[in-house]
Structures are given as structure tokens and as C-alpha cells.
Amino acid sequence: MERKSVAGSIRNKERSKKKFLDAVGKILRTKGYTALKVNSIAATAGVDKKMIYSYFGGIDGLIDEYIRSQDYWSKVTIEEIEKIKPKLDDGGKSFMEEMLLSQFDYVYSSKEAQKLLLWRLSEPRKSLKKLTETQEENGEYIFKLLMDSHFKDNAEDVRSIMAIMVSGLYYLNMYAAINGSIFCGIDVNTPIGRDKIKKAISFMLHHTYENL
């Protein structure tokens, strides 16, 4: 009986934690990060606010965990890259193409990811800074593992190109979601428009590998 009770307690804790994390996402989507208060999170989750302190050590811990769970590049772990390393014989071109195209779709479909991007541009916060640092660490590992040996003296040029491409993907999705869908004559909110952007991503990446 005691073992079942412990297992049930663990399950209840995980369910409650998920309710809190889901509540943060809902509030972020509908009201923005300024509405993330203990009472509103607890009310949205339907769980006693005391549990925020028990499970996360406070609202900062809860929000930090939520941020980690939502970031695309933080999910691309070093361990995952190591698993596919033996298959990467093209200098990382196919891997990077898949990552860029997937990220383009991820940010477009995730309102929470969009809100997080806005939050990062609007407020200094330790967890947001840590998120940026984690992204850079993962990105640097990818560059060193896949690209530096391939591009050699042109490695920094590739970093510059990737910086423009990634930031462009962020901006196009944010622009389409907030202020309008037409950018340079392309409707980013339509399948045809998004397909054109994706083809442009592949075009730029392939030319980078062919010409540097």
C-alpha cells in the first residue's frame, strides 16, 4: 500500500506541475508576460498557489522551467547531435537544412514561442539570458562539430550567414503573426508563401556550401 501511495503522490505532483506549466503558457499566449503573477497562474491551473513554491521554489523557478521547455534550439541537445554524428558526411548541410526549416514551422505554429521571442526583446531576465547562452552553447557545438572542419578559414563567414538566416526566420514569423502577413510581396501566412520562403532557405544554404 505504501509503494502505491508514493507512486500516486509522484503522479499527482507531475500532473500539478504540468497544470502550472500549461497555465503559464496560456497566460503568456492570451495576456502576455506582464500578467504572469502567482495568483493568476494558480487560478488558471486550478491548483493551490502554495504548490508553486513547493514544486518550483517560487514563480521565478516555474517561469524558468517553462522557458526551458519551450525553446526550439535548447531541445536540440548535444547528446542528440552525437547520435547522428556518424551520418553527417556533408559538412552538416542536410542537418542544418532540416533544423532551419523545422524552426521556421515551429515558431510559426507556436504562439508561445512567439511570445517568448517578444519577451526576450522586451525585458532583461536571468532565465531569458540563460536561454540565450544555452542556444549559443548548442550552436557553437554544432558549428565546431559539423562546419568548422568543412569550411575551414571561411567558418566565421558561415556563422554570419546563419545569424542572418535564423534572425530572418524569427522576424518573418513574428511579423506575420502580429502586424501583417505580406513581406516583400510574399504572404507568409499562406502555404504558397511559406513554401517560397522554405525554398529560399534551402537555396541560400546550398549556395553557402557550394561557394565557401
Side-chain angles (χ1 to χ4, degrees), residues 7-160:
S9 178
I10 292 173
R11 284 195 295 272
N12 288 336
K13 177 180 179 180
E14 292 306 311
R15 280 195 293 268
S16 294
K17 288 181 69 174
K18 186 177 185 305
K19 287 180 179 179
F20 281 128
L21 292 168
D22 289 345
V24 171
K26 182 176 181 180
I27 293 171
L28 191 60
R29 287 194 307 273
T30 58
K31 300 179 180 179
Y33 63 86
T34 57
L36 291 172
K37 310 295 183 185
V38 170
N39 289 337
S40 60
I41 293 172
T44 302
V47 182
D48 191 329
K49 66 181 181 181
K50 293 179 182 178
M51 295 298 100
I52 292 177
Y53 299 92
S54 297
Y55 297 154
F56 303 97
I59 189 170
D60 285 342
L62 168 59
I63 293 175
D64 289 353
E65 184 162 334
Y66 170 79
I67 289 171
R68 287 193 297 271
S69 73
Q70 292 298 312
D71 178 61
Y72 180 85
W73 285 106
S74 293
K75 295 176 182 178
V76 183
T77 64
I78 290 174
E79 289 76 15
E80 291 174 340
I81 298 169
E82 285 286 356
K83 290 178 183 178
I84 63 172
K85 182 179 176 181
K87 304 176 183 178
L88 302 173
D89 56 358
D90 60 354
K93 181 173 71 174
S94 58
F95 175 82
M96 287 306 303
E97 183 174 17
E98 181 182 351
M99 290 298 99
L100 290 169
L101 295 176
S102 296
Q103 185 189 37
F104 184 54
D105 286 335
Y106 173 76
V107 176
Y108 180 76
S109 63
S110 174
K111 298 302 179 185
E112 294 167 53
Q114 294 168 16
K115 294 290 185 179
L116 277 176
L117 286 170
L118 285 174
W119 194 2
R120 291 169 69 181
L121 294 173
S122 306
E123 181 186 56
R125 184 183 179 84
K126 287 183 178 180
S127 57
L128 294 171
K129 182 178 180 182
K130 179 61 177 176
L131 175 60
T132 301
E133 291 172 350
T134 299
Q135 288 179 332
E136 282 300 306
E137 288 172 3
N138 286 357
E140 186 62 20
Y141 182 80
I142 292 172
F143 281 126
K144 288 183 176 179
L145 178 67
L146 308 181
M147 298 172 143
D148 283 3
S149 60
H150 181 83
F151 290 101
K152 298 183 173 59
D153 293 342
N154 295 319
E156 288 193 3
D157 294 331
V158 175
R159 282 169 163 76
S160 300

Side-chain angles (χ1 to χ4, degrees), residues 171-187:
Y171 184 80
L172 282 174
N173 280 315
M174 300 296 292
Y175 181 88
I178 297 172
N179 282 324
S181 60
I182 308 296
F183 196 94
C184 290
I186 303 296
D187 190 341

